[in-house]
Amino acid sequence: MAEDCPVCEVRALVPFQTIDNTPYHCCEVCEATVMDKSAWLDERRERAVYDLHDNDPRDEGYRRFLSKLTGPLLERLAPGARGLDFGCGPGPALAAMLREAGMEMALYDPFYYPDTSALGQQYDFITCTEVVEHLHRPAEIFRRLDRLLAPGGLLGVMTCFQTDDERFANWHYRRDPTHIVFYRRATMQWLASAHGWALEVPAKDVAFFRKV
């Protein structure tokens, strides 16, 4: 039996491609691509992959990578705005950069910063960088993020947008075994419409959602 799309929960997924015996499915509503659940890593193996990540806040190359989001984000925030780095990972470099710019930051990550008290408040902005492609239940998480945003708040998401189906099999982003959901710009537009958010794409692979 076909699974419902975990991004929009509107319609069952349909076959897309099979690569190295791993099926991928697509959604005809929100246009997300989803790895078959049979290929998802269990929690122990998923954590082992994340433990290999070297997200050092002092790494200038990594900071330049994150600046694709932080640069345009800071242009849109009031001084001293209060934010949440959701899925910050073991080295919350992005939060450090935003603190340096005068923002107040809280952290949450289910593996590395699991204190759920951060999820009981509202924020002026939320950052979600290189996170949404890992989510088993993205629809549930996007609903939670909407609740965490104060009215007028900004959600900044960074993930590589899927743009070329013919190159999907060899796409570096697909080859990460923890990447299970892939988003197109159309998927971001669907999310904005579904939640009543205003969408802006200020840079490649960056989506800003304004809660209106």
Side-chain angles (χ1 to χ4, degrees):
M1 181 176 175
E3 295 278 348
D4 283 348
C5 174
V7 178
C8 69
E9 301 178 325
V10 173
R11 188 175 300 170
L13 297 166
V14 299
F16 175 57
Q17 294 182 22
T18 297
I19 303 162
D20 297 331
N21 297 317
T22 298
Y24 290 84
H25 313 287
C26 65
C27 178
E28 295 178 315
V29 175
C30 71
E31 300 188 34
T33 299
V34 183
M35 178 196 287
D36 192 84
K37 283 186 176 180
S38 64
W40 294 4
L41 301 183
D42 60 31
E43 186 173 305
R44 179 187 61 80
R45 290 188 297 160
E46 185 180 5
R47 169 68 184 263
V49 174
Y50 299 150
D51 286 344
L52 297 174
H53 291 182
D54 184 17
N55 299 339
D56 188 340
R58 297 165 297 182
D59 185 322
E60 288 302 320
Y62 188 51
R63 290 168 72 98
R64 282 194 298 274
F65 170 70
L66 294 175
S67 68
K68 286 202 315 181
L69 184 141
T70 59
L73 179 65
L74 287 169
E75 293 173 359
R76 291 158 174 78
L77 295 179
R82 191 161 176 268
L84 170 68
D85 190 3
F86 186 92
C88 59
L94 184 135
M97 294 167 66
L98 292 169
R99 284 174 177 147
E100 291 167 7
M103 304 302 157
E104 181 183 344
M105 296 300 300
L107 303 175
Y108 176 75
D109 187 286
F111 291 112
Y112 301 102
Y113 291 85
D115 183 359
T116 56
S117 64
L119 305 180
Q121 307 169 47
Q122 282 198 319
Y123 298 91
D124 302 315
F125 68 97
I126 299 171
T127 55
C128 202
T129 57
E130 299 297 309
V131 171
V132 296
E133 63 276 8
H134 302 277
L135 298 177
H136 291 192
R137 296 179 296 275
E140 178 182 314
I141 296 301
F142 280 111
R143 285 192 290 268
R144 168 172 276 185
L145 295 175
D146 182 59
R147 292 194 297 270
L148 292 173
L149 273 178
L154 189 64
L155 168 62
V157 172
M158 186 162 69
T159 186
C160 282
F161 292 5
Q162 183 177 343
T163 59
D164 191 340
D165 292 352
E166 292 184 1
R167 296 184 179 181
F168 183 75
N170 294 317
W171 188 25
H172 77 282
Y173 216 59
R174 184 205 63 81
R175 294 198 300 268
D176 186 321
T178 66
H179 290 181
I180 61 177
V181 182
F182 305 92
Y183 302 74
R184 304 173 194 266
R185 182 164 180 153
T187 316
M188 300 303 184
Q189 291 169 336
W190 187 94
L191 286 165
S193 178
H195 292 279
W197 297 331
L199 172 66
E200 182 183 2
V201 179
K204 183 179 181 295
D205 300 327
V206 175
F208 285 171
F209 300 102
R210 177 78 68 178
K211 184 172 181 177
V212 294

